[in-house]
Amino acid sequence: MTVSNPAPLSTLTTMQVGGVPKRIITCTNTEILYSTMAELWDGEDQHQVLAGGSNTVFADDMSDWTIVLVANRGIEIVAEDSESVTVQVQAGHSWDEFVAWAVENDYAGIEAMSGIPGSVGATPVQNVGGYGQEVSQVITQVEFLDQETGELAIKPAAFFEFSYRDSALKHGLLGIIGWVEFRLLKLDGLSVPMASGQITQHVGAAYGSQLPLSQIRDSVLELRSSKGMVVKANDPDSVSCGSFFTNPVVSYSKSLEFPEEMQRWSMPDEDQVKLSAGWLIENAGIPKGYGLPGSKAAISNKHALAITNRGGATGQEVLELARLIQERVAARWGINLIPEPNLIGF
Ligand SMILES: Cc1cc2nc3c(=O)[nH]c(=O)nc-3n(C[C@H](O)[C@H](O)[C@H](O)COP(=O)(O)OP(=O)(O)OC[C@H]3O[C@@H](n4cnc5c(N)ncnc54)[C@H](O)[C@@H]3O)c2cc1C
């Protein structure tokens, strides 16, 4: 465990906002992670778990906060047969490095989630997903230290009640994830059937096609980059948390109230429809690139759903822009947009 001289949290988050915390405790293995958390849960210190910092917006004054940095890394194959491989990945491991590893080794199931920043251990929190895949489709079990009971146990995926960008961890289940286990498929170098029209159109294949894993990874990285959705030092539109709001899910009958030209997606529950939050924002009069006068926070030039830091924005400025978007969308469309990132210290 390292208790370092704290760096500003703006240097540890992709949104690049957040003040200097009281201390940062870096945990490089699960034993340290669990004992650190148990101690903090028993004590009085305000604390926050942080990994890749790609889904967290910190306040400008964090001086009362202890930050626990999840930094345990490693990928281990724990079971294998002719059809699949079961892999245990430490919580602090980079998600995209894990995807790259799977693609290189011809293991299918996560290729469409290429380029998503952050850690493996954070993926169950909001059931991370993209381009027709979600981690809930491949997670088998998770090592979890439960804050309420103090029990350290290996929990099956069902325990986390995954749904679209959501899990029990966003609804009161408290604890820390030490590692996540995934079952990936051996499909002779091909992907699972692609459930994303954007990808299949991009590569000129039919919806549901199985394509070479590396082709899917390359296409996804290209598509994501064109939207500022891959963190790159030379892309100011990627200084963000990705999508700042989740796409609202409404009943089928409610969805008929919206103009036909709005993009929408069907859901596993046939009575539900996912609306495009980006479309709702742009059609509430907030264009790409928009920022409040004098503020360094602005909507991405490439994607209406991302709030970006144009250089030196404060956490407060990010939040003010988010509130304005919520108010305009509620007034125009009667929809309450829910922020996707964790807003800490405000
Ligand atoms: C450019 C960009 C594109 C993105 N695209 C997508 C996308 O396509 N799909 C998508 O779903 N998300 C996307 N995101 C959001 C983000 O990458 C994911 O939510 C990611 O899983 C966050 O991981 P992290 O390690 O950075 O989390 P952090 O921001 O460090 O933490 C997020 C939350 O998880 C908690 N947490 C972290 N580690 C643990 C642990 N071990 N145990 C328990 N709780 C933990 C934290 O306390 C916090 O509440 C994008 C973000 C960016 C910046």
Side-chain angles (χ1 to χ4, degrees):
M1 183 199 319
T2 317
V3 181
S4 52
N5 277 335
L9 291 165
S10 55
T11 63
L12 295 174
T13 52
T14 55
M15 184 56 101
Q16 298 181 10
V17 298
V20 178
K22 187 162 85 179
R23 59 179 173 151
I24 296 177
I25 305 172
T26 304
C27 302
T28 50
N29 62 46
T30 49
E31 289 71 28
I32 297 171
L33 181 62
Y34 297 145
S35 61
T36 301
M37 293 313 299
E39 206 173 296
L40 285 166
W41 291 335
D42 277 348
E44 301 286 312
D45 268 12
Q46 269 196 111
H47 57 273
Q48 173 66 19
V49 171
L50 181 69
S54 63
N55 212 20
T56 303
V57 181
F58 285 114
D60 304 306
D61 181 2
M62 291 295 296
S63 55
D64 287 339
W65 288 74
T66 293
I67 303 297
V68 177
L69 201 56
V70 183
N72 54 325
R73 292 175 53 85
I75 300 175
E76 189 190 350
I77 293 175
V78 291
E80 187 165 10
D81 59 28
S82 58
E83 289 175 2
S84 70
V85 66
T86 303
V87 191
Q88 216 174 77
V89 190
Q90 298 295 304
H93 204 93
S94 149
W95 169 259
D96 193 49
E97 279 178 36
F98 171 47
V99 179
W101 173 89
V103 167
E104 263 164 42
N105 288 283
D106 287 346
Y107 302 138
I110 56 176
E111 53 282 359
M113 292 183 278
S114 289
I116 298 178
S119 66
V120 166
T123 60
V125 176
Q126 65 159 6
N127 184 19
V128 157
Y131 297 99
Q133 292 183 345
E134 291 182 333
V135 289
S136 58
Q137 296 162 341
V138 283
I139 290 177
T140 50
Q141 52 186 20
V142 172
E143 187 167 81
F144 184 68
L145 178 63
D146 192 309
Q147 177 173 351
E148 224 159 303
T149 62
E151 181 200 26
L152 176 63
I154 296 171
K155 297 288 189 187
F159 175 77
F160 296 95
E161 298 169 10
F162 293 121
S163 60
Y164 166 66
R165 280 320 158 270
D166 206 13
S167 79
L169 290 159
K170 293 190 95 174
H171 300 282
L173 174 64
L174 298 174
I176 186 85
I177 292 167
W179 50 254
V180 186
E181 195 178 274
F182 302 87
R183 181 171 178 266
L184 304 176
L185 300 177
K186 294 181 179 175
L187 301 172
D188 295 326
L190 294 181
S191 67
V192 296
M194 275 299 110
S196 158
Q198 282 188 76
I199 297 185
T200 48
Q201 273 164 29
H202 188 71
V203 301
Y207 187 87
S209 302
Q210 290 180 264
L211 297 156
L213 286 166
S214 55
Q215 186 184 12
I216 297 296
R217 180 165 169 80
D218 292 347
S219 303
V220 170
L221 290 175
E222 210 176 299
L223 275 168
R224 295 184 71 91
S225 298
S226 70
K227 300 176 189 170
M229 287 291 170
V230 178
V231 176
K232 287 183 178 169
N234 62 356
D235 182 1
D237 285 312
S238 73
V239 185
S240 78
C241 284
S243 302
F244 203 93
F245 300 101
T246 52
N247 288 313
V249 176
V250 299
S251 66
Y252 178 74
S253 57
K254 172 89 183 161
S255 74
L256 300 176
E257 293 171 17
F258 293 87
E260 265 178 37
E261 72 260 24
M262 181 184 60
Q263 203 181 0
R264 62 196 75 200
W265 300 271
S266 52
M267 295 288 288
D269 174 348
E270 280 176 15
D271 187 45
Q272 292 191 321
V273 176
K274 190 164 70 177
L275 307 180
S276 164
W279 188 95
L280 294 171
I281 293 170
E282 285 195 271
N283 289 278
I286 303 181
K288 293 191 184 89
Y290 176 86
L292 283 164
S295 169
K296 299 268 175 41
I299 308 271
S300 159
N301 292 305
K302 300 192 180 97
H303 200 300
L305 202 42
I307 294 181
T308 61
N309 179 347
R310 289 304 186 197
T314 61
Q316 200 52 39
E317 286 175 335
V318 170
L319 232 62
E320 275 162 14
L321 181 55
R323 282 202 199 104
L324 176 95
I325 295 167
Q326 283 175 309
E327 282 166 16
R328 292 257 184 100
V329 169
R332 175 65 184 88
W333 298 109
I335 293 276
N336 186 17
L337 289 181
I338 311 285
E340 190 185 290
N342 302 277
L343 311 174
I344 307 296
F346 291 97

